[in-house]
Amino acid sequence: MMMTRVFSGIQPSGNLTIGNYLGAMKNFVRLQHEADCLFCVVDLHAITVPQEPEALRENSRNLAALYIAAGIDPDKATVFIQSHVTAHAELGWILQCIAYYGELGRMTQFKDKSAQKEVVTAGLFTYPALMAADILLYQTGLVPVGEDQKQHLELTRDIAERFNNRFGQTFVVPEPYIPKFGGRIMSLENPEKKMSKSDESAGAYIAMLDEPDVIRKKISRAVTDSDREVRYDPDAKPAVSNLMTIYGMFTDMTMEQVEKHFAGQGYGPFKKELAEVVVDGLSPIQQRYRELIGSSEVDEVLRKGAQKAREMCAGTLADVKSKLGFVLA
Ligand code: AQP
């Protein structure tokens, strides 16, 4: 039987947060053992909002190093940069012509990201069509993402079905793979808001590469709820429940176990221990990252990854072009 194909990407749009790690990357590492995985640095997506060129270049390479440092084995999974495989932009354009203006306008991420912005690029609006291309190019069966990407994935499925209905079977219709727990880590400053790497306030997130003392400070300043009970109740106690989720995910403990562990102790000791758990959880990743970033290993992985990805998607792109009626070159 053929192995399930898995595709996912992360934008090199800032410092990766523990939201990206717990919601997405941690699952990538697990899935590489059971599926044929591609993990992409989606730089074409990052430029939907302004990026400083040198920072984008650095963030892209750093993200590739983080993939590997977090446990992705480049001999098992294909790690590459999106702009190295031009088929993404090509199919992205084609799928913009399959997606409808109305359905793109319903995307909540577009509404959130465009709100209160002076300038909104056309790319930010059509982004989900490019994301559909990323996934459909590889006949992906499963897409591990955080909760916030669910709507984009539903659109990807609609686009695939529409194309298949109109032109004949072309794309596998992918399934989302969203963690039941931890799919939406919230900001440390506002538990109503998702933790985001492009948050203007660095206190809102813990970056995967934050120094131990920075992590300790951010957690000690994290907002909590009224009363002082460490109890899991996302509706009544969203801030503490978010911190407990982070604790549980780093320690593989259930919320019940976390509650028991901190019974009668209040927020102070909980936050102190949480900080140490996060510091200890990130420390081996940070160490491996520091070794990698100065070596040429990352560049070699990316070169090989792009080559492999190009080979994997060439057939699908040619099929699409032929079905659309393009004169084949
Ligand atoms: N807070 C989160 N909790 C759980 N999962 C999350 N993801 C992002 N934030 C959280 C998941 O991480 C993957 C990569 O996300 P992305 O870089 O493609 O963009 P994003 O979803 O827009 O993430 P950010 O951190 O909020 O980036 P910016 O600030 O640049 O927009 C996805 O699988 C996402 O679900």
Side-chain angles (χ1 to χ4, degrees), residues 8-11 13 17 19-20 22-24 28 42 109 113 127 144-149 182-186 194-199:
S8 201
I10 299 183
Q11 298 186 58
S13 47
T17 72
N20 300 128
L22 300 175
F28 298 177
V42 288
Q109 193 181 74
K113 287 197 173 179
Y127 162 123
V145 282
E147 189 73 48
D148 61 320
Q149 293 297 333
R184 194 168 166 81
I185 302 295
M186 308 310 281
K194 174 179 95 106
M195 184 180 283
S196 211
K197 62 176 122 61
S198 57
D199 200 304

Side-chain angles (χ1 to χ4, degrees), residues 82-233:
Q82 188 184 26
S83 64
H84 289 180
V85 183
T86 54
H88 288 253
E90 282 189 75
L91 186 64
W93 171 254
I94 292 169
L95 296 184
Q96 281 182 55
C97 303
I98 301 292
Y100 300 144
Y101 180 84
E103 61 193 355
L104 289 171
R106 283 196 289 277
M107 295 296 113
T108 54
Q109 193 181 74
F110 174 73
K111 290 184 197 163
D112 291 347
K113 287 197 173 179
S114 58
Q116 287 136 21
K117 284 246 164 67
E118 261 176 54
V119 176
V120 177
T121 67
L124 188 67
F125 184 71
T126 59
Y127 162 123
L130 178 61
M131 176 165 159
D134 301 337
I135 296 165
L136 300 180
L137 264 177
Y138 298 96
Q139 305 295 346
T140 301
L142 210 59
V143 186
V145 282
E147 189 73 48
D148 61 320
Q149 293 297 333
K150 196 172 166 203
Q151 198 188 23
H152 290 162
L153 210 73
E154 277 159 13
L155 181 62
T156 298
R157 290 170 56 86
D158 290 344
I159 291 173
E161 278 166 2
R162 189 173 306 152
F163 195 99
N164 287 347
N165 287 336
R166 204 182 292 170
F167 299 101
Q169 179 58 39
T170 309
F171 299 123
V172 168
V173 181
E175 297 288 337
Y177 181 93
I178 298 169
K180 282 198 188 67
F181 196 69
R184 194 168 166 81
I185 302 295
M186 308 310 281
S187 155
L188 299 183
E189 293 177 341
N190 176 3
E192 305 294 311
K193 224 171 96 182
K194 174 179 95 106
M195 184 180 283
S196 211
K197 62 176 122 61
S198 57
D199 200 304
E200 274 158 23
S201 167
Y205 59 81
I206 295 173
M208 289 177 72
L209 296 174
D210 272 347
E211 296 287 337
D213 277 344
V214 174
I215 296 175
R216 290 185 187 108
K217 199 176 279 168
K218 286 182 179 176
I219 291 180
S220 79
R221 289 186 183 159
V223 298
T224 45
D225 309 289
S226 51
D227 81 38
R228 49 186 302 282
E229 220 186 327
V230 181
R231 182 166 54 82
Y232 186 73
D233 184 344

